[in-house]
Amino acid sequence: MKRLLKMMPSLLRIGFAENIAYRAEMLIWVLATTMPFVMMVMWRSVAEHFDIVGGMGQTLGPLQMTHYFLAVFVVRQVVSAWAAWEMNFEIRQGTLSMRLLKPISPLIGYAVSGLTGLPLRLVVALPVLLVFFFLGGFRPGAEYGLLFLLPLALVGGWLIVLFANMAIGSLAVFSGSSTRIMEAWMAAFFVFSGYLFPLDLFPDWLAWIGDILPFRYQLGFPVQVLTLSLEVGDALILLGKQWLWVAVLGVLTWVLWRRGVRHFEAFGG
């Protein structure tokens, strides 16, 4: 741990430099996450013609839909990670061997790579966040105490995304590629996270399923905290569930990675 703390400033500088060097790739990735804007236009149109009632009895009109999907875009930029794709590429190319020769775990390198991309993503996210505030992103009488939980909710969401990526990426050691598994994970994420529609619109049985899966805690829960659409007590319960998923996925990542490395070395990787 002492050695890692000494090396962390250098790791962060190198990671940031790499993200700057590949800023065109980063821009393409950001543009690929603009689906919330498309959904915002669609749901605004729906809300103009129908009464949509969300959580806490709040009517979701066109302005509320705008607030929601602006928040979705901002949170998506903050909690993103792509370690699974990096791991699959390096395992196929054989360059994972070079990472294993370094004095720190490759998992730390993947985490730093995702973390140092945050400043560039914030360049895009912050103007959207300003629009969110300008349009009156907080409704009268809302629970403003939720804002104190927002940093924990964002960190928890990012860790769930990161650990899920690492766990799925580790499976590539055994099969040569785990991108199909990652694509299946992303498909479930789009349905259950609140990325394509507000979680408050789920029927009770689907909301129950979404509540026990990790996808809500990646995105939907931080969005609900940012838009102040929860009671503080409910938010604390959801925060506990979120960090339980952080722990579960963290342990799963460690187990799969340890077994994957032994398998990789046994076959001369």
Side-chain angles (χ1 to χ4, degrees), residues 64-232:
Q64 286 72 30
M65 287 298 181
T66 300
H67 293 161
Y68 178 83
F69 284 105
L70 290 177
V72 167
F73 178 82
V74 171
V75 172
R76 179 84 161 103
Q77 301 306 315
V78 174
V79 303
S80 294
W82 48 85
W85 314 107
E86 288 185 89
M87 294 170 76
N88 272 269
F89 177 79
E90 293 182 1
I91 289 168
R92 287 197 304 270
Q93 299 297 317
T95 54
L96 179 61
S97 301
M98 300 302 296
R99 280 192 184 266
L100 292 172
L101 294 175
K102 294 180 179 180
I104 61 170
S105 170
L107 296 182
I108 295 175
Y110 295 128
V112 170
S113 177
L115 186 62
T116 53
L118 181 59
L120 293 179
R121 298 197 301 274
L122 286 179
V123 170
V124 178
L126 285 178
V128 177
L129 185 61
L130 290 176
V131 173
F132 174 87
F133 287 125
F134 178 76
L135 293 177
F138 300 142
R139 59 187 176 82
E143 294 277 5
Y144 290 99
L146 286 171
L147 292 179
F148 293 102
L149 302 180
L150 184 60
L152 282 174
L154 290 173
V155 173
W158 180 73
L159 288 174
I160 289 175
V161 176
L162 178 67
F163 288 148
N165 268 259
M166 289 179 173
I168 294 172
S170 298
L171 295 175
V173 176
F174 304 98
S175 62
S177 175
S178 60
T179 54
R180 293 296 178 89
I181 300 175
M182 193 64 207
E183 289 168 0
W185 176 276
M186 292 302 298
F189 164 80
F190 290 142
V191 174
F192 291 104
S193 69
Y195 187 65
L196 299 180
F197 35 78
L199 294 173
D200 290 335
L201 303 185
F202 276 6
D204 291 342
W205 65 272
L206 194 57
W208 179 82
I209 294 175
D211 195 50
I212 62 176
L213 295 175
F215 308 105
R216 175 183 187 177
Y217 307 103
Q218 291 181 232
L219 180 83
F221 169 57
V223 168
Q224 288 178 309
V225 173
L226 178 59
T227 56
L228 306 180
S229 56
L230 292 169
E231 298 285 354
V232 172

Side-chain angles (χ1 to χ4, degrees), residues 230-243:
L230 292 169
E231 298 285 354
V232 172
D234 293 336
L236 288 171
I237 293 173
L238 291 171
L239 185 68
K241 292 180 179 180
Q242 181 192 52
W243 280 86

